[in-house]
């Protein structure tokens, strides 16, 4: 059984040693102990790179994050990093994809406005407090200047996330797809604005006020 979930709280971030999804990399052929050892070492190196990128982004920001710095912090050669990633953007995107899954979960079988409320609180904690939320903020900022980052972020993360969230919002409120999409925009836009533009915390009181205002017509 997993950790107890609390309404409005983000699920606990997976321990770094448990982030085994990184093992999606090509693996050496099985059948020899040396191949098995090499696979484990490769996975450990990739994990070290992802962890280092996470930490250095929080410490130095996007502009201060470099492949050289990541390599030094991870204890690997630059050539090792370039075997798996084209740029620091790709490293950050892998971190985002890996860590956002357990963070941005909906309640099981969402069907009521209360379920939407729980999810929005989780999203606010993710965006405003979690390392993966800092990664998303950094990539959103860079995407305004770089078309490749924008394409990667939208097709690989934002568009699938929105499609899922619109569907769950419809299930919670019994609305049309267009109405659910408009409501979701009205809920999420202030969170992005407060985090990215105002640089202010996404505190629980702010999120509750936003939800109360937007959900009033669906709950009365």
């Amino acid at each position: 059984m997993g950790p107890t979930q609390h309404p409005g709280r983000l699920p606990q971030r997976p321990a770094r040693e448990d982030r085994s999804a990184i093992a999606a990399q090509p693996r050496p052929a099985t059948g020899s102990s040396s191949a098995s050892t090499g696979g484990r070492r490769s996975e450990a190196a990739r994990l070290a790179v992802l962890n280092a990128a996470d930490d250095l982004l929080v410490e130095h920001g996007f502009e201060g994050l470099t492949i050289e710095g990541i390599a030094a912090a991870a204890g690997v050669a630059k050539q090792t990093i370039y075997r798996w990633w084209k740029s620091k953007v790709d490293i950050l995107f892998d971190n985002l994809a890996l860590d956002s899954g357990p963070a941005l979960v909906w309640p099981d079988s969402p069907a009521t406005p209360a379920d939407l409320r729980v999810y929005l609180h989780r999203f606010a904690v993710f965006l405003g407090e979690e390392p993966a939320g800092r990664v998303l903020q950094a990539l959103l900022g860079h995407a305004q200047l770089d078309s490749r980052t924008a394409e990667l972020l939208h097709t690989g993360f934002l568009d699938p996330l929105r499609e899922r969230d619109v569907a769950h919002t419809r299930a919670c409120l019994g609305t049309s797809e267009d109405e659910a999409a408009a409501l979701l925009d009205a809920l999420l836009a202030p969170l992005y604005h407060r985090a990215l533009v105002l640089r202010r915390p996404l505190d629980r009181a702010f999120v509750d006020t936003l939800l109360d205002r937007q959900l009033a017509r669906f709950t009365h």
Side-chain angles (χ1 to χ4, degrees), residues 113-161:
D115 294 325
L116 176 58
R117 182 177 291 269
V118 168
Y119 175 72
L120 199 74
H121 275 290
R122 287 178 177 169
F123 188 93
V125 174
F126 167 79
L127 183 62
E129 300 178 22
E130 291 295 306
R134 291 287 298 273
V135 170
L136 176 57
Q137 289 191 42
L139 291 177
L140 284 168
H142 190 61
Q144 309 311 305
L145 305 173
D146 182 73
S147 60
R148 179 180 176 272
T149 301
E151 179 69 16
L152 178 66
L153 189 58
H154 278 274
T155 60
F157 182 75
L158 293 174
D159 292 348
L161 182 70

Side-chain angles (χ1 to χ4, degrees), residues 40-102:
R40 288 195 298 271
R41 286 176 179 170
S42 294
E43 184 176 337
R46 292 192 65 173
L47 182 58
V49 169
L50 290 170
N51 289 338
D54 241 3
D55 294 341
L56 292 173
L57 176 71
V58 172
E59 185 176 354
H60 299 295
F62 182 82
E63 292 302 324
L65 181 66
T66 65
I67 296 295
E68 291 80 4
I70 295 170
V76 302
K78 285 174 56 177
Q79 292 81 358
T80 298
I81 294 178
Y82 283 120
R83 282 211 310 268
W84 296 315
W85 296 282
K86 294 179 179 179
S87 68
K88 65 182 181 180
V89 166
D90 297 274
I91 301 173
L92 292 176
F93 181 80
D94 275 5
N95 262 331
L96 175 63
L98 184 62
D99 288 345
S100 63

Side-chain angles (χ1 to χ4, degrees), residues 142-196:
H142 190 61
Q144 309 311 305
L145 305 173
D146 182 73
S147 60
R148 179 180 176 272
T149 301
E151 179 69 16
L152 178 66
L153 189 58
H154 278 274
T155 60
F157 182 75
L158 293 174
D159 292 348
L161 182 70
R162 178 176 173 78
E163 182 178 359
R164 183 203 68 176
D165 289 352
V166 168
H168 285 329
T169 300
R170 289 188 66 190
C172 289
L173 303 177
T175 64
S176 68
E177 182 175 352
D178 287 345
E179 192 170 22
L183 174 63
L184 197 61
D185 286 345
L187 290 170
L188 293 179
L191 300 185
Y192 281 113
H193 180 263
R194 192 175 177 93
L196 289 163

